[in-house]
Amino acid sequence: QRAFTNTAQKLEKLGPPRVTDGKHVQDTAVGFFTTAAGSVGDQRAKLAALDAKDPDFVNKASHLAGPDLSAASAQMQGLTNNPQLAPAFRAAPECKQLAATAAGK
């Protein structure tokens, strides 16, 4: 949650990228990380509200769904496919590491 929030704040401070519709691109990226932070925070609060001493704790915890980031992820995918931004996403070490992790490498 903290990482998502920090990333949103850093992207906000950086300002819009110098690409076509840069403000929209920035808003989308900041929105993704802000939404992700909120979703993770909501799930964190639900988990924290459970009593670890409850005999049914494991069952209750297993029914908590992971944070739903599908809509936000679709928006972010639009950015990574943007022809003006795609080369930077492919070249950034952090993006390479994330892609490798997602591919199970």
Side-chain angles (χ1 to χ4, degrees):
Q1 180 182 7
R2 187 175 302 131
F4 285 131
T5 300
N6 289 345
T7 301
Q9 291 171 348
K10 287 177 184 178
L11 289 171
E12 190 67 43
K13 287 179 185 176
L14 283 173
R18 286 183 232 143
V19 298
T20 303
D21 207 12
K23 180 63 176 150
H24 175 71
V25 168
Q26 179 192 25
D27 290 346
T28 299
V30 170
F32 167 79
F33 288 103
T34 301
T35 298
S39 295
V40 169
D42 289 346
Q43 291 306 102
R44 184 174 171 229
K46 289 176 185 175
L47 183 59
L50 296 177
D51 180 359
K53 294 179 183 176
D54 182 342
D56 201 30
F57 172 79
V58 173
N59 183 46
K60 289 177 181 177
S62 70
H63 285 93
L64 291 178
D68 182 11
L69 302 176
S70 57
S73 293
Q75 287 181 318
M76 197 63 180
Q77 187 174 11
L79 295 183
T80 60
N81 292 332
N82 178 310
Q84 292 179 291
L85 298 173
F89 280 112
R90 285 192 302 269
E94 296 82 359
C95 292
K96 287 180 181 180
Q97 181 181 7
L98 184 59
T101 301
K105 295 181 181 177

